[in-house]
Amino acid sequence: MTDRMREEATAVHTDETVVASAMRWSAVALIVIVAVVATVVWQVRRDAPPPPAVEATVVAPQQIETDATAPTIRFTDITQQAGIDFVHDNGAYGDKLLPETMGGGAAFIDFDNDGDQDLLFVNSGPWPGREGNDPPAPLALYRNDGTGKFAKVDTGVDRLPASYGMGVAIGDFDSDGLVDAFISAVGTNRLLRNTGTAFEDVTAKAGVAGDPADWSTSSTFVDYDNDGDLDLFVGNYVRWSKEIDFAVDYRLVGVGRAYGPPMNYEGAHPYLYRNNGDGTFADVSAEAGMQVANPSTDLPMGKALGVAPIDVDRDGHIDLLVANDTVRNFFFHNSGNGTFAEEGVEFGLAFDRNGSATGAMGIDAAYYRNDDELGFFIGNFANEMTSLYVSQGDPTLFADEAISEGIGSPTRLMLSFGVFLFDYDLDGRLDLLQTNGHLEEEINIVQPSQHYEQAAQLFWNCGMGSRGCFVPVEAASAGDMNKPIVGRGSTYGDIDGDGDLDVVLTQTGRAPLLLRNDQSENHHWVRLKLVGTGPSTDSIGAAGETDSRAAGFSLRGRSNRNAIGAWVEATFGDTTVRRQVMPTRSYLSQVELPVTIGLGNATQLDKLRITWPSGTGETFDAIEVDSTQTIKEGTGTASGG
């Protein structure tokens, strides 16, 4: 072992050494205290008769029972017939390197601005530097013809030798009207500018490559400073290298070397990049409050896999909940002055109902009850139920209601990655889908209850509020969604223009599943594409604008071109739903930008209110249903298409 390998291995175990020492001294102190207390108690009670024995009954959490029955709606696997021939390459060659089991992501993106949803997949391996390999491109782009048929197109981007792709974020960072892509990786990240016909690698100019020694995961474009352009948050997982992986040397009895959890890896700080408005970004991670250290070691604490951007307390500034794997979740509360305060513990979002950190991965957030209570959904490791943190009549106080809402017991055994909410039957209520799959191919040898391939789980929202909101959809009712897979990322979008939402589930080392939604409930709907009036390419770099951004001043009054962060409130009958324009959902993935609102049996939308990221609001009384409407900020009108 080289000196560097020894140093890295030593650094990996720093936390463990400190904790072990503390535990030994704590144990000694505890023994002394217990001995003293026991002596006193014995002296006091030595002549007293023994108390009668009491039998304690331990009751496990019970699944909430409901009379509601989920509709039978089939999802049909059309991957091959739709023209999707992508196969994820995880580069596995027998050394059991942890990143091989973690990718990859996918995104619905209207790449060519023709109004329908194209598909982008992120590739990973083979590992850079291995001889005899023909490295694939880091991503594959498929253009949609509007009917759900796809054709692969040249992205214009070659493989970057030093990176191993993980996830994707989409957003028009340069305000030219075309949606761009950021690719996270083990190694160098990439920012790809959409030219209308291909992607142009502008990573070096933009300054967002990151440290080549870092492992980046879920990322998101958000306008955290309300200046009208999109900034970039990038989650980082753990400090990893092949040498550290072998030093940790995770093993399973009866299996040997295996893929393991990240407990013995040092954490990593995330990146926050502020958009300078001239095609470049400034790394403001430290001064913005993004670097949370372990108080015992002063080393980075975070192990980010998922991120949910949402304005939790409705103060007009977008916050970030980061799903951390095996350490507490971070809630970065936006102070409105360019800085964040990490308040996960204070808000009740850091730990599960038992006060423990979970193996948190995919994440989504929504007002899923159609009331004022916000819910955060987080997929966790095997034998940890999915977390559901719900606000308690106070946007600064959350509690885990997974059991009472009906998703606790059914998700306990599953190892869940992609998690998102969508209205799959267009009844006006958000349903839950989570993608499952284990890390280790041979896990069933040592844990009979676990399987490498696991079926996705679909939960129908029955609308019962806080009394068992979700009903598990039986396997026979979900069609091809019930196929056991090695699930990772997941996303949704309307691929064929029929108004309902179709689904993509990715696998590590395998082909994805494109599942067409074949619902026939005859429910009505409306799709909304929002366009902000943020700085155009003509104004980028103009005197005053660039200066004001650099000084940290808000240009409040204009929204980013994609209207990311906007809120839509739609009223039909006695129901009001609230939806956020936010492509960042699930795990390593992005959903489509248009917002789909199911109306159920309602034949008209009575009222529509949009609150733009700029802070301005617009109200509409007449919106055509069963159609896609485009609304540009400040115009007061909606148009079809």
Side-chain angles (χ1 to χ4, degrees), residues 119-134:
L119 264 172
L120 187 152
F121 295 95
V122 178
N123 218 335
S124 299
W127 282 103
R130 280 191 58 80
E131 296 180 2
N133 289 323
D134 183 18

Side-chain angles (χ1 to χ4, degrees), residues 452-540:
Y452 184 50
E453 298 175 328
Q454 300 179 8
Q457 291 176 289
L458 182 62
F459 293 86
W460 178 62
N461 188 337
C462 68
M464 292 185 65
S466 59
R467 296 185 62 254
C469 204
F470 292 98
V471 176
V473 176
E474 295 182 1
S477 300
D480 292 331
M481 187 174 285
N482 189 49
K483 291 181 178 180
I485 63 173
V486 191
R488 293 299 182 260
S490 57
T491 180
Y492 64 77
D494 181 8
I495 64 171
D496 45 16
D498 62 357
D500 57 34
L501 296 172
D502 311 293
V503 171
V504 167
L505 310 179
T506 73
Q507 302 190 76
T508 182
R510 301 184 181 186
L513 271 66
L514 173 58
L515 300 171
R516 186 184 63 213
N517 186 338
D518 288 333
Q519 66 90 21
S520 56
E521 298 295 290
N522 296 317
H523 288 158
H524 297 285
W525 50 273
V526 64
R527 285 168 57 80
L528 303 171
K529 178 183 178 181
L530 305 189
V531 181
T533 57
S536 67
T537 52
D538 295 333
S539 65
I540 287 179

